[in-house]
Amino acid sequence: MAAAAEEFRPHRVVVLALDGLLPFELGIPHRIFGRPVDERGRPLYEVVTCSVRPPGPVETDADFAVHIGHGPEALAEADTVIVPASYELGPVFEEGRLTGELAAALARVRPGTRLASICTGVYVLAAAGYLDGRPATTHWADAERFQRLFPKIRVDADVLFIDDGDVLTSAGVAAGLDLCLHMVRRDFGAAVANDVARRTVVPPHRDGGQAQYIERPVPDPQLATTTAARAWALGRLHEPIQLRDMAAQESMSVRTFTRRFREEVGVSPGQWLTQQRVERARHLLETTDLSIDQVAREAGFGTAQSMRQHLQQALGVTPTAYRRTFRTAVSGTSV
């Protein structure tokens, strides 16, 4: 039978609920992956929650438990496994070692399954050996302890999430939203992810990393921020933008503006501009019939060659390949 006639099958996301879990984080995958549909209204994802035990109650960090309807056998059918944070991981936290129950559950995960963690759920992936020699992140307040416990992992506490291909990790709590939206964007493109973000009333892409959330001495309230400069730049991404022009919007010297920008956003003004232009190019490639040259100009890259280099670096694909994938992804028969 022709490929177009293959049976439709949504991408199966299995969320592993562990005792001591945070209810907010448990709900993130269901909220984000439960929204996308294809052009025929069919859900693009199926979201299932399981525990390491037979169906039954799982304790949370709140004053209630949740009933989980699936046991660990659900992990064997997953295309993506997500591990939210838990505050009761016992030897995983203390020794970097899985319990027998948790090890047996993870042994059911098929090779090649995409794995993701939210906040301290990364301890589970690390203890299982999935992150050795790879980059990972977690909540900034836990990063130093996590690095000591797992010295083979390259911990980056400055980012909201890390996509290392088949293994993805996020920072604390709400960064799980950023991670899940990123996975939707990776699977089906920016237009689908942006629609989910609008319905969830969250930004489709947050600027910067965890640096902006790390506790620091309270700044002088008279000091200006860089918000106006960012808004000014977003309105003219298609034009050449100089650092001195952005600094002028806040009446700051270039040196002061650059320091303040990095403190607030977590990256340099140049890195931020490139990120915004990449997002603009993705949107145009997905939603318009503009030529590659036109997209490059509208996104502020100037030339198709420059845009190709930046997209290759950021996404690992050329503009043409990206358009071919995401202009047709939602109408495909499977993920």
Side-chain angles (χ1 to χ4, degrees), residues 29-331:
H30 290 269
R31 178 70 194 188
I32 300 302
F33 295 110
R35 292 295 179 271
V37 297
D38 69 6
E39 59 187 8
R40 294 169 58 181
R42 298 176 298 186
L44 293 170
Y45 297 94
E46 176 189 13
V47 187
V48 172
T49 304
C50 78
S51 75
V52 296
R53 300 184 295 272
V58 170
E59 297 298 323
T60 73
D61 74 328
D63 62 345
F64 59 85
V66 294
H67 181 86
I68 303 299
H70 298 271
E73 65 279 355
L75 294 167
E77 303 298 324
D79 298 307
T80 293
V81 171
I82 299 179
V83 185
S86 166
Y87 287 149
E88 296 181 15
L89 290 176
V92 178
F93 271 153
E94 298 160 8
E95 307 168 28
R97 174 179 60 83
L98 296 177
T99 63
E101 191 176 51
L102 185 50
L106 292 175
R108 295 174 179 266
V109 178
R110 296 173 299 173
T113 300
R114 182 168 63 180
L115 304 170
S117 64
I118 301 175
C119 193
T120 56
V122 72
Y123 278 80
V124 174
L125 300 186
Y130 293 120
L131 293 171
D132 287 352
R134 304 180 74 162
T137 192
T138 187
H139 193 291
W140 60 265
D142 213 59
E144 186 176 341
R145 180 176 181 275
F146 179 73
Q147 182 69 89
R148 288 198 306 269
L149 192 59
F150 300 103
K152 294 181 181 179
I153 299 172
R154 304 196 304 274
V155 180
D156 185 347
D158 293 331
V159 296
L160 293 175
F161 62 84
I162 288 177
D163 180 345
D164 196 38
D166 60 336
V167 181
L168 301 91
T169 55
S170 82
V173 194
L177 287 164
D178 300 282
L179 175 66
C180 290
L181 284 169
H182 169 75
M183 287 194 280
V184 173
R185 188 181 302 114
R186 197 177 93 171
D187 293 341
F188 296 107
V192 175
N194 291 351
D195 180 67
V196 174
R198 284 192 296 271
R199 293 173 182 272
T200 313
V201 198
V202 296
H205 180 82
R206 281 198 289 171
D207 298 335
Q210 292 194 76
Q212 58 193 312
Y213 303 105
I214 297 174
E215 184 176 1
R216 295 186 175 88
V218 177
D220 185 337
Q222 300 303 313
L223 294 177
T225 72
T226 60
T227 303
R230 296 201 298 275
W232 175 84
L234 287 174
R236 45 184 52 77
L237 286 177
H238 59 288
E239 301 175 3
I241 298 176
Q242 301 296 324
L243 181 56
R244 62 176 179 273
D245 297 327
M246 293 183 68
Q249 304 307 308
E250 306 290 0
S251 300
M252 295 181 189
S253 69
V254 169
R255 181 178 179 179
T256 298
F257 176 80
T258 300
R259 175 175 54 80
R260 189 70 49 71
F261 194 101
R262 186 178 286 277
E263 289 174 350
E264 293 178 4
V265 181
V267 295
S268 71
Q271 290 171 317
W272 178 83
L273 273 174
T274 298
Q275 291 172 358
Q276 304 311 309
R277 284 175 165 148
V278 167
E279 290 303 311
R280 175 65 173 160
R282 293 171 73 163
H283 175 75
L284 293 173
L285 289 168
E286 290 181 35
T287 61
T288 75
D289 293 320
L290 295 175
S291 69
I292 299 299
D293 287 331
Q294 289 173 314
V295 170
R297 289 194 294 271
E298 287 295 318
F301 288 115
T303 67
Q305 177 62 26
S306 176
M307 182 175 72
R308 186 175 298 108
Q309 291 174 348
H310 282 96
L311 261 67
Q312 190 77 49
Q313 182 177 6
L315 309 176
V317 296
T318 65
T320 301
Y322 184 86
R323 168 172 275 172
R324 183 169 57 246
T325 298
F326 290 111
R327 287 296 292 273
T328 59
V330 178
S331 60

